[in-house]
Amino acid sequence: MHTDLDPVPTDAVLPSRVDVVIIGGGILGVSTAYFLAKRGVSVALCEKGEIGAEQSSRNWGWVRKQGGDPSEIPLTLHSVELWNTMNEDIGAETGFRTCGSISLASSARDIAACEGWVDSVREYLPELGTKVLSKRELQDILPGAPRHFVGGLYTATDGRAEPQLAAPAIAKAARSRGAAVMTNCAVRGFETSAGRISGVVTEKGSIACGSVVLAGGAWCRIFCANMGIFFPQLKLRTSVMRTKPLEGGPETAAMAPGYSFRRRLDGGYTIGTGFMNYADLVPDSFRMLPLFWPTLRHEWSTIRVRLGRRFFDELTMPARWRLDGVSPFEAARILDPDPVVSDLDRVLETLSADFPVFRSAKIAKQWAGMIDVSPDAMPFLTAIPSTPGFFIATGFSGHGFGNGPGAGYLMADLVTGAKPHVNPHPFRFSRFTDGPRPEYHARV
Ligand SMILES: Cc1cc2nc3c(=O)[nH]c(=O)nc-3n(C[C@H](O)[C@H](O)[C@H](O)COP(=O)(O)OP(=O)(O)OC[C@H]3O[C@@H](n4cnc5c(N)ncnc54)[C@H](O)[C@@H]3O)c2cc1C
């Protein structure tokens, strides 16, 4: 296993009937389970591998309000509000701490992008508290920041949480509120009766239910395809490392084009590659290109395209399967790509040149993760109108850890028919077909 994931043992017995089945035990699935269970809804959470073992334990652990799409800000604000009380609410440690975050600016053009973002979210600024830092202000917040940074975008109330702790802790809290938590329990598909959801078939048996929430991360596309639903999704691969405890380093999380870092609860740092991601060519890369291109062309400089084994792995993966036979989810319990070690070496070199404290950092672990990506880099948090009772929660495209609790809360609203806490319209399934394509806002 790649990380020091806190294990969540499975329940012994599969429930025969619940109100809601949640597919996937990442941060979105466990948060949805928790907020539903808290409202007295009976829930079964089914995870094909271990709770949190894919993206939700591999990410950088940033919980940041700044830099996102303006239409997502209310969801993000609510999510951070939930993180602030989460440890107390669930009676366990998620590692959440407020630490502040900075996007470092190297040029006048970067500063203009920061100012442009602040302008685009002006109505939320009192709650966000985000500001554009001058060169001098940057030195006050991040002492010793190298002189080639001319300022940055800063939010003092941004935070961090520990990906190896958070999803397991929330899953256990959902269980203590009555949810069944099944691991090594792939859901092969759903069943319908008179056109609406009536249950799911798992590798351990069937569960009757009225609603299904698919929070399957990078697997949502193939799950939907087998159910006859077209779901647009691609994947990006990215590498990460963590250090052993390191004294004297910055407490504020920071990101520059070539690296990112944030303090960990154990005193070390989680270090990422900044905005550098790999797009492994797979058959879907070609099928999806027209839908993704309007966004991809903005992000092209941050993506490296590679042809490798994954092309053939995905080419030979069954596109259709029967629910009484083994599904692809059982054949790949945990997506565990290899990190690109040479990239991580380069990242540490650049980071150490900028912040000399990292010269003495001892690397404790390196790993990689597969980010699920939607065509406009915005999430789908939505009912699927063609199949009443079926919902999808995924697509955060690299920022779903911080938004996880807010997304889970919203899914609980949608499933129960409660008044949504935030407007779900920007996250609807039909947004690429019901009008002009949503405008893409590059993240800052
Ligand atoms: C390297 C990296 C860095 C990142 N950094 C950040 C960050 O700093 N901040 C941030 O906000 N976001 C970050 N992200 C993004 C964030 O991690 C994801 O958006 C978020 O974790 C997605 O959560 P999820 O629950 O949707 O998916 P996942 O965590 O991937 O969980 C989906 C789960 O569904 C299960 N599953 C799938 N199909 C089935 C099935 N049929 N039956 C049963 N189980 C199934 C899978 O096994 C998996 O465990 C990063 C991502 C990566 C990879």
Side-chain angles (χ1 to χ4, degrees):
M1 208 30 221
H2 67 295
T3 57
D4 311 305
L5 191 59
D6 192 20
V8 180
T10 188
D11 280 6
V13 182
L14 190 78
S16 57
R17 161 168 284 282
V18 292
D19 297 328
V20 185
V21 170
I22 294 158
I23 306 172
I27 194 78
L28 263 65
V30 299
S31 299
T32 306
Y34 176 66
F35 289 114
L36 281 170
K38 219 176 156 185
R39 295 177 198 195
V41 176
S42 69
V43 173
L45 175 70
C46 297
E47 163 56 53
K48 68 178 168 57
E50 300 297 332
I51 296 297
E54 295 198 344
Q55 295 174 85
S56 295
S57 62
R58 291 161 190 264
N59 64 71
W60 300 350
W62 288 51
V63 176
R64 67 175 202 148
K65 293 180 281 190
Q66 70 175 30
D69 189 292
S71 61
E72 210 179 63
I73 299 294
L75 178 80
T76 305
L77 286 168
H78 184 223
S79 204
V80 177
E81 192 185 318
L82 293 168
W83 275 114
N84 270 298
T85 53
M86 187 64 85
N87 289 345
E88 199 183 327
D89 197 26
I90 65 175
E93 180 63 88
T94 61
F96 180 79
R97 300 289 185 275
T98 298
C99 59
S101 84
I102 305 184
S103 290
L104 293 163
S106 311
S107 62
R109 198 166 155 223
D110 289 351
I111 292 285
C114 296
E115 285 168 348
W117 186 81
V118 165
D119 259 356
S120 72
V121 297
R122 201 151 284 287
E123 65 185 295
Y124 304 113
L125 277 185
E127 288 160 278
L128 286 165
T130 303
K131 56 189 269 192
V132 179
L133 299 178
S134 66
K135 195 164 184 166
R136 197 184 49 74
E137 288 169 320
L138 175 63
Q139 289 301 325
D140 294 341
I141 309 268
L142 199 60
R147 294 284 160 188
H148 58 86
F149 291 119
V150 295
L153 189 70
Y154 174 60
T155 304
T157 51
D158 276 358
R160 60 178 210 239
E162 293 305 331
Q164 290 90 38
L165 299 180
I170 298 169
K172 287 178 191 168
R175 172 181 279 156
S176 72
R177 301 237 177 206
V181 178
M182 308 296 303
T183 61
N184 285 297
C185 182
V187 178
R188 293 172 173 167
F190 58 64
E191 293 180 315
T192 55
S193 169
R196 59 165 300 129
I197 291 286
S198 59
V200 298
V201 178
T202 81
E203 63 181 302
K204 295 184 178 173
S206 297
I207 311 175
C209 63
S211 303
V212 169
V213 178
L214 175 61
W219 299 89
C220 289
R221 175 162 162 70
I222 68 162
F223 184 95
C224 286
N226 193 46
M227 296 284 97
I229 297 167
F230 172 78
F231 185 71
Q233 180 178 61
L234 286 174
K235 301 187 258 299
L236 290 175
R237 182 164 51 93
T238 183
S239 303
V240 194
M241 60 190 154
R242 71 174 172 86
T243 72
K244 293 188 174 163
L246 179 67
E247 279 184 22
E251 295 303 322
T252 306
M255 177 165 20
Y259 56 76
S260 72
F261 59 81
R262 61 111 185 149
R263 178 70 95 181
R264 298 170 58 87
L265 204 57
D266 64 11
Y269 282 85
T270 294
I271 300 172
T273 54
F275 294 114
M276 193 211 307
N277 296 308
Y278 285 85
D280 296 320
L281 283 177
V282 292
D284 272 349
S285 314
F286 301 99
R287 292 182 198 121
M288 298 282 152
L289 192 60
L291 201 48
F292 278 73
W293 182 247
T295 299
L296 272 178
R297 71 191 172 86
H298 291 285
E299 299 295 339
W300 202 238
S301 60
T302 65
I303 295 173
R304 296 179 180 183
V305 179
R306 288 281 182 281
L307 177 63
R309 207 191 57 209
R310 268 194 63 222
F311 185 91
F312 300 98
D313 288 350
E314 294 210 5
L315 188 68
T316 51
M317 191 181 278
R320 293 282 166 138
W321 57 90
R322 289 161 48 108
L323 301 193
D324 59 0
V326 174
S327 69
F329 313 119
E330 290 138 83
R333 292 278 168 202
I334 296 173
L335 258 183
D336 188 15
D338 294 328
V340 182
V341 174
S342 56
D343 282 354
L344 291 174
D345 289 347
R346 220 174 4 255
V347 163
L348 192 58
E349 213 172 284
T350 314
L351 175 59
S352 304
D354 281 0
F355 293 89
V357 66
F358 286 98
R359 283 187 196 149
S360 56
K362 300 263 176 302
I363 300 306
K365 214 159 234 180
Q366 300 176 322
W367 66 90
M370 255 344 160
I371 301 179
D372 66 79
V373 187
S374 71
D376 56 355
M378 288 282 283
F380 290 99
L381 303 170
T382 182
I384 303 298
S386 59
T387 310
F390 185 46
F391 297 82
I392 297 185
T394 191
F396 270 102
S397 312
H399 57 288
F401 181 67
N403 280 296
Y409 195 99
L410 178 60
M411 291 314 296
D413 288 341
L414 297 180
V415 171
T416 56
K419 183 172 181 293
H421 190 85
V422 299
N423 178 10
H425 193 68
F427 318 128
R428 70 199 182 282
F429 184 57
S430 61
R431 64 182 185 262
F432 297 102
T433 51
D434 63 6
R437 185 186 163 100
E439 200 184 329
Y440 174 66
H441 297 97
R443 274 158 214 283
V444 182

